[in-house]
Every structure is written in structure tokens, then in C-alpha cells.
Amino acid sequence: MALVTTKEMFAKAYKGGYAIGAFNVNNMEIIQGITEAAKEESSPIILQVSAGARKYAKHIYLVKLVEAAIADTDLPIALHLDHGENFEVCKSCIDGGFSSVMIDGSKHSFEENIKITREVVEYAHSKGVTVEGELGKLAGIEDAVNVRPEDSSYTRPEEVEEFVSRTGVDSLAIAIGTSHGAYKFKPEQCTRNEKGVLVPPPLRFDILKEVEKRLPGFPIVLHGSSSVPQEYVEIVNKFGGKMPDAIGIPEEELREAAKMAVCKINIDSDLRLGMTAMIRKHLAEYPEHFDPRQYLADGRSALREIVRHKIRDVLGSSGKI
Ligand code: G3H
Ligand code: 13P
Ligand code: ZN
């Protein structure tokens, strides 16, 4: 099995009412945890690489590790650039072996976004690589994205047909209330359920429905879709960490979106959280350990279980190879 593009994956996901998980990768343990889970669940998968990941691990190491994961699992895997900032970064990933790229022109004007997205699409398609564009601005702060909540904006459905037809993108990321990172909402934006757990405002399914109506059969992408499982937040906090009021998107809402036009759901923070929680726990329980393999193995196992759960219970992509 060689790397695959997202084309066929998305066509099948759209028809089947499920979504493909796009998980961010930064090192060997993360790649192994994700792909072992996908293998156990017989699920197609997207491994995505941010600018920060390329800086941390180096492009070549990530490409070779993903090649190794394909040889090891024989799974259909797409290797995707997450939040490509400009043409040069996208070109470097297209030339450097990726099968899919995102050009994130969402911070630009509508016309400028179309212009740079179109340029990437022309180059990518000439090399058989698929392209994701973005309309609307998600809030959140990460290495590559830094949008304050007051600067975020929902996707305007009336713009999507023109954007897709003028750019030729293969999929479109939209903003319907998700956001990047582990602190997606302030407690004052939320209500509390009977157990005292913070419940965020619901996603804007009305916008998703309108986009779906205007772009029938076209794959939609949701970024910022970690759910920030509270059991892991509690482990982090119990073993010396400090993550007060971390809050994510309820998994039931993502499951609903996956049944609709959403074919790709991006998850990074939940993997970071699960891995860090179990490494903290390991080091607290075994203070004498100093071999990284001992605690990294626990981090990798946690990550594998989180990805299995996402595939089975949130994305619905088990057995869809
Ligand atoms: O959307 C951003 C991803 O979570 C990647 O984060 O830029 O810190 O690698 P990063
Ligand atoms: P989270 O921070 O919610 O995991 O989102 C990740 C993402 O959108 C990567 O592009
Ligand atoms: Zn993102």
C-alpha cells in the first residue's frame, strides 16, 4: 500500500455517513499509537503535519516514519499538511511526498483567499495531490494559528459555492463554533449539567446544513474538534499539572456532524492531553524510572485507546477500509 489522497476516502465517507479522523503527528510514538488503533479498527486515516511539527521533528523524519507505518499496517493513509500558510510551504510538502495539503487562507480577504488557494490547487493537482481550503475563522491559539475569540467568525454559507468553484479545492474547512486547543470556551459561555460538568454552546448545525445544501456531495472539514475528555484533565491535574477549565466539543455533536457532509474531523489536543496525562501518572508512580521507553510506552497506549474510541464512537469509520 502506498500513500493515498483524500479523494476516494472522502467520497466513501460522504456516502457512508461517517468521517475520517485527521490526527496530528509529531514523533514516532504518536504515529504508532494512531496507526495501531486504526489497524485494530480497520479504519482509513489521515496523518497531518503542522508547520510546528515540521520544525520540531523535521520533514524527512515524519515522511519516513509515516512510510514505516504504512509498511507496518498496510492501511490506506493520507499524509496531509495542516494549516499551510502560503504557496511555498504547500509546494515544499507536495514536492516532499505528501498526498494532501491544506492552504489556510482564512486570515485573508475573500478575494485574496481565492487567489492563493487557486494557485496551490493548480500546482497540487498537477502532481496528483488533493487540497483543503478554509472559509471562516476559528478561534484558538497554537503554534500555527493564533486567532482571538473576538476575531473569529462563522463561515458565510452564501460564499461557499463561489469559493469552491473558483478555487477547485477538493474539500472545505468551515467555522461553525469549534476552535483550536484545550480551552475552547470560557466557563461563563457554558452552562452546567446535573453533574456540574460545563456544557458549551452547541455547534451551528444551521450553517452546516446550509453549506451542505449549497454544495451537495462536497466534503466538509471540521478543525478544532477535540472533546477534551475530563477524565484525562483530572489525571493531569492530580499528578502535578494545571489545566483549569479545559473544555472541548461534545462528542455527540461531532458524531452528528460526521453523519452529515463532514468527512474529515481534526483532532490534536485530545492526543496531547491523553499522552501527557499518562506520562505524568507514570512518572509520579515510578519516580525511580528514567528510561524514556517506560513512560513513552504509557503515553502511546493512552493515545491508542483515545484514537480507537474516536474511530468507533465518534467518527464511525471502523471497518471502512
Ligand atoms: O491546528 C493546529 C494543530 O493543533 C497543530 O498545532 O501548530 O502546535 O503543531 P501546532
Ligand atoms: P484541536 O486543538 O481541537 O485538537 O484541533 C486540531 C486541529 O484542528 C488541527 O488542525
Ligand atoms: Zn486546525
PDB file of all heavy atoms in Angstrom, residues 249-263:
ATOM      1  N   ILE A 249     -15.375  20.074  22.540  1.00  0.00           N
ATOM      2  CA  ILE A 249     -16.639  19.920  21.809  1.00  0.00           C
ATOM      3  C   ILE A 249     -17.266  18.572  22.199  1.00  0.00           C
ATOM      4  O   ILE A 249     -16.601  17.539  22.093  1.00  0.00           O
ATOM      5  CB  ILE A 249     -16.380  19.900  20.274  1.00  0.00           C
ATOM      6  CG1 ILE A 249     -15.511  21.089  19.844  1.00  0.00           C
ATOM      7  CG2 ILE A 249     -17.677  19.827  19.487  1.00  0.00           C
ATOM      8  CD1 ILE A 249     -16.149  22.437  19.982  1.00  0.00           C
ATOM      9  N   PRO A 250     -18.529  18.550  22.606  1.00  0.00           N
ATOM     10  CA  PRO A 250     -19.149  17.261  22.969  1.00  0.00           C
ATOM     11  C   PRO A 250     -19.093  16.249  21.816  1.00  0.00           C
ATOM     12  O   PRO A 250     -19.379  16.597  20.660  1.00  0.00           O
ATOM     13  CB  PRO A 250     -20.600  17.651  23.296  1.00  0.00           C
ATOM     14  CG  PRO A 250     -20.548  19.102  23.642  1.00  0.00           C
ATOM     15  CD  PRO A 250     -19.445  19.690  22.801  1.00  0.00           C
ATOM     16  N   GLU A 251     -18.746  15.013  22.153  1.00  0.00           N
ATOM     17  CA  GLU A 251     -18.560  14.005  21.098  1.00  0.00           C
ATOM     18  C   GLU A 251     -19.852  13.711  20.338  1.00  0.00           C
ATOM     19  O   GLU A 251     -19.814  13.415  19.145  1.00  0.00           O
ATOM     20  CB  GLU A 251     -17.977  12.729  21.715  1.00  0.00           C
ATOM     21  CG  GLU A 251     -16.524  12.936  22.122  1.00  0.00           C
ATOM     22  CD  GLU A 251     -15.829  11.673  22.585  1.00  0.00           C
ATOM     23  OE1 GLU A 251     -16.518  10.730  23.032  1.00  0.00           O
ATOM     24  OE2 GLU A 251     -14.589  11.637  22.515  1.00  0.00           O
ATOM     25  N   GLU A 252     -21.010  13.813  21.007  1.00  0.00           N
ATOM     26  CA  GLU A 252     -22.281  13.517  20.312  1.00  0.00           C
ATOM     27  C   GLU A 252     -22.495  14.502  19.156  1.00  0.00           C
ATOM     28  O   GLU A 252     -23.051  14.135  18.108  1.00  0.00           O
ATOM     29  CB  GLU A 252     -23.502  13.639  21.236  1.00  0.00           C
ATOM     30  CG  GLU A 252     -23.394  13.014  22.607  1.00  0.00           C
ATOM     31  CD  GLU A 252     -22.556  13.843  23.576  1.00  0.00           C
ATOM     32  OE1 GLU A 252     -22.969  14.949  23.974  1.00  0.00           O
ATOM     33  OE2 GLU A 252     -21.467  13.345  23.920  1.00  0.00           O
ATOM     34  N   GLU A 253     -22.053  15.739  19.348  1.00  0.00           N
ATOM     35  CA  GLU A 253     -22.238  16.720  18.268  1.00  0.00           C
ATOM     36  C   GLU A 253     -21.347  16.384  17.069  1.00  0.00           C
ATOM     37  O   GLU A 253     -21.741  16.551  15.913  1.00  0.00           O
ATOM     38  CB  GLU A 253     -21.930  18.134  18.774  1.00  0.00           C
ATOM     39  CG  GLU A 253     -22.927  18.607  19.799  1.00  0.00           C
ATOM     40  CD  GLU A 253     -22.734  20.084  20.154  1.00  0.00           C
ATOM     41  OE1 GLU A 253     -22.238  20.858  19.324  1.00  0.00           O
ATOM     42  OE2 GLU A 253     -23.086  20.444  21.289  1.00  0.00           O
ATOM     43  N   LEU A 254     -20.143  15.900  17.358  1.00  0.00           N
ATOM     44  CA  LEU A 254     -19.226  15.533  16.267  1.00  0.00           C
ATOM     45  C   LEU A 254     -19.764  14.308  15.527  1.00  0.00           C
ATOM     46  O   LEU A 254     -19.650  14.216  14.302  1.00  0.00           O
ATOM     47  CB  LEU A 254     -17.826  15.261  16.817  1.00  0.00           C
ATOM     48  CG  LEU A 254     -17.180  16.493  17.461  1.00  0.00           C
ATOM     49  CD1 LEU A 254     -15.940  16.110  18.251  1.00  0.00           C
ATOM     50  CD2 LEU A 254     -16.824  17.538  16.392  1.00  0.00           C
ATOM     51  N   ARG A 255     -20.368  13.382  16.272  1.00  0.00           N
ATOM     52  CA  ARG A 255     -20.954  12.191  15.640  1.00  0.00           C
ATOM     53  C   ARG A 255     -22.076  12.607  14.676  1.00  0.00           C
ATOM     54  O   ARG A 255     -22.206  12.062  13.584  1.00  0.00           O
ATOM     55  CB  ARG A 255     -21.491  11.250  16.746  1.00  0.00           C
ATOM     56  CG  ARG A 255     -22.064   9.952  16.228  1.00  0.00           C
ATOM     57  CD  ARG A 255     -20.960   9.017  15.707  1.00  0.00           C
ATOM     58  NE  ARG A 255     -21.438   8.046  14.745  1.00  0.00           N
ATOM     59  CZ  ARG A 255     -21.355   8.179  13.418  1.00  0.00           C
ATOM     60  NH1 ARG A 255     -20.816   9.253  12.864  1.00  0.00           N
ATOM     61  NH2 ARG A 255     -21.791   7.234  12.611  1.00  0.00           N
ATOM     62  N   GLU A 256     -22.874  13.590  15.107  1.00  0.00           N
ATOM     63  CA  GLU A 256     -23.951  14.102  14.243  1.00  0.00           C
ATOM     64  C   GLU A 256     -23.362  14.726  12.975  1.00  0.00           C
ATOM     65  O   GLU A 256     -23.831  14.490  11.872  1.00  0.00           O
ATOM     66  CB  GLU A 256     -24.792  15.158  14.979  1.00  0.00           C
ATOM     67  CG  GLU A 256     -25.829  14.590  15.910  1.00  0.00           C
ATOM     68  CD  GLU A 256     -26.606  13.424  15.306  1.00  0.00           C
ATOM     69  OE1 GLU A 256     -27.264  13.628  14.256  1.00  0.00           O
ATOM     70  OE2 GLU A 256     -26.558  12.309  15.851  1.00  0.00           O
ATOM     71  N   ALA A 257     -22.313  15.534  13.154  1.00  0.00           N
ATOM     72  CA  ALA A 257     -21.679  16.209  12.010  1.00  0.00           C
ATOM     73  C   ALA A 257     -21.112  15.176  11.033  1.00  0.00           C
ATOM     74  O   ALA A 257     -21.189  15.342   9.812  1.00  0.00           O
ATOM     75  CB  ALA A 257     -20.580  17.150  12.502  1.00  0.00           C
ATOM     76  N   ALA A 258     -20.540  14.085  11.585  1.00  0.00           N
ATOM     77  CA  ALA A 258     -19.935  13.046  10.735  1.00  0.00           C
ATOM     78  C   ALA A 258     -20.984  12.340   9.885  1.00  0.00           C
ATOM     79  O   ALA A 258     -20.693  11.829   8.805  1.00  0.00           O
ATOM     80  CB  ALA A 258     -19.191  12.033  11.599  1.00  0.00           C
ATOM     81  N   LYS A 259     -22.235  12.316  10.351  1.00  0.00           N
ATOM     82  CA  LYS A 259     -23.314  11.684   9.564  1.00  0.00           C
ATOM     83  C   LYS A 259     -23.738  12.607   8.426  1.00  0.00           C
ATOM     84  O   LYS A 259     -24.407  12.190   7.500  1.00  0.00           O
ATOM     85  CB  LYS A 259     -24.529  11.414  10.457  1.00  0.00           C
ATOM     86  CG  LYS A 259     -24.311  10.288  11.444  1.00  0.00           C
ATOM     87  CD  LYS A 259     -25.587  10.098  12.266  1.00  0.00           C
ATOM     88  CE  LYS A 259     -25.330   9.221  13.461  1.00  0.00           C
ATOM     89  NZ  LYS A 259     -26.304   9.406  14.525  1.00  0.00           N
ATOM     90  N   MET A 260     -23.382  13.879   8.544  1.00  0.00           N
ATOM     91  CA  MET A 260     -23.779  14.866   7.514  1.00  0.00           C
ATOM     92  C   MET A 260     -22.628  15.020   6.509  1.00  0.00           C
ATOM     93  O   MET A 260     -21.973  14.044   6.188  1.00  0.00           O
ATOM     94  CB  MET A 260     -24.145  16.181   8.210  1.00  0.00           C
ATOM     95  CG  MET A 260     -25.308  15.996   9.179  1.00  0.00           C
ATOM     96  SD  MET A 260     -25.573  17.408  10.265  1.00  0.00           S
ATOM     97  CE  MET A 260     -26.035  18.669   9.105  1.00  0.00           C
ATOM     98  N   ALA A 261     -22.392  16.238   6.013  1.00  0.00           N
ATOM     99  CA  ALA A 261     -21.383  16.428   4.960  1.00  0.00           C
ATOM    100  C   ALA A 261     -19.948  16.450   5.487  1.00  0.00           C
ATOM    101  O   ALA A 261     -18.997  16.506   4.702  1.00  0.00           O
ATOM    102  CB  ALA A 261     -21.671  17.733   4.222  1.00  0.00           C
ATOM    103  N   VAL A 262     -19.777  16.393   6.802  1.00  0.00           N
ATOM    104  CA  VAL A 262     -18.416  16.455   7.360  1.00  0.00           C
ATOM    105  C   VAL A 262     -17.707  15.113   7.142  1.00  0.00           C
ATOM    106  O   VAL A 262     -18.147  14.079   7.641  1.00  0.00           O
ATOM    107  CB  VAL A 262     -18.459  16.824   8.866  1.00  0.00           C
ATOM    108  CG1 VAL A 262     -17.081  16.680   9.489  1.00  0.00           C
ATOM    109  CG2 VAL A 262     -18.983  18.253   9.025  1.00  0.00           C
ATOM    110  N   CYS A 263     -16.614  15.161   6.362  1.00  0.00           N
ATOM    111  CA  CYS A 263     -15.885  13.937   6.004  1.00  0.00           C
ATOM    112  C   CYS A 263     -14.520  13.872   6.668  1.00  0.00           C
ATOM    113  O   CYS A 263     -13.837  12.851   6.580  1.00  0.00           O
ATOM    114  CB  CYS A 263     -15.679  13.872   4.488  1.00  0.00           C
ATOM    115  SG  CYS A 263     -17.216  13.691   3.592  1.00  0.00           S
TER     116      CYS A 263
END
